[in-house]
């Protein structure tokens, strides 16, 4: 009978160890999957190890949707005065509604809550001419893009996801 109690105790310890190991593996796997999903869901490269937010996170902090910038940003610099540079791996072209938009591999300007001004590196094609977008303002549920003397408004919902370059 003593052997039976030892066997039951051994089996209980073994099951407890297996359960703990399974829980640890499940938590590790869930964390890994969550991290992978977060990486896929985020259009930016992962900078989690450095603690630096992505450029898409910075846009949100200033009241802009992340889709204002195309996927594939490779980095950025943001200074205390709000001046910034964001970098793409290459020039990027895409369409929004009927408009052709072009981002150079370097985008620069000055950002503050609700406004990006002195913008460089973003153009829109109007008829046969590329015109620089020099300012973007966020007011209510609208984004106002200023290209020279022309302003075009879009719904913020048009920019919830980042466009893909063609």
């Amino acid at each position: 009978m003593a052997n039976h109690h030892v066997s039951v105790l051994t089996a209980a310890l073994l099951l407890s160890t297996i359960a703990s190991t399974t829980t640890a593996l499940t938590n590790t796997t869930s964390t890994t999957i969550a991290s992978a999903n977060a990486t896929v869901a985020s259009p930016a490269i992962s900078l989690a190890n450095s603690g630096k937010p992505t450029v898409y996170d910075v846009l949100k902090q200033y009241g802009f949707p992340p889709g204002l910038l195309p996927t594939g940003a490779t980095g950025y610099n943001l200074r205390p005065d709000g001046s910034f540079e964001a970098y793409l791996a290459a020039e990027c072209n895409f369409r929004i509604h009927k408009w052709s938009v072009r981002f150079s591999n370097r985008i620069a300007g000055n950002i503050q809550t609700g406004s990006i001004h002195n913008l460089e590196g973003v153009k829109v094609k109007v008829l046969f001419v590329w015109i620089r977008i020099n300012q973007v303002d966020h007011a209510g549920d609208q984004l106002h893009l200023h290209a020279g003397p022309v302003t075009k408004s879009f719904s913020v919902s048009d920019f919830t996801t980042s466009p893909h370059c063609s």
Side-chain angles (χ1 to χ4, degrees), residues 25 29 32 42 56 60 101 110 112 145 150 159 165:
L25 286 173
T29 303
T32 302
S42 172
Y56 305 95
K60 288 182 202 175
V101 180
N110 195 291
Q112 59 190 41
L145 281 67
V150 178
F159 297 89
C165 303

Side-chain angles (χ1 to χ4, degrees), residues 11-25:
L13 287 171
L14 183 59
L15 286 174
S16 175
T17 302
I18 291 171
S20 296
T21 304
T22 303
T23 301
L25 286 173

Side-chain angles (χ1 to χ4, degrees), residues 43 45 55-56 69-76 86-93 103-107 165:
I45 58 173
V55 67
Y56 305 95
L69 191 64
T71 59
T74 58
Y76 71 93
Y87 304 98
L88 301 173
E91 185 176 89
C92 176
N93 296 289
F103 279 76
S104 73
N105 63 334
R106 178 187 170 272
I107 301 102
C165 303

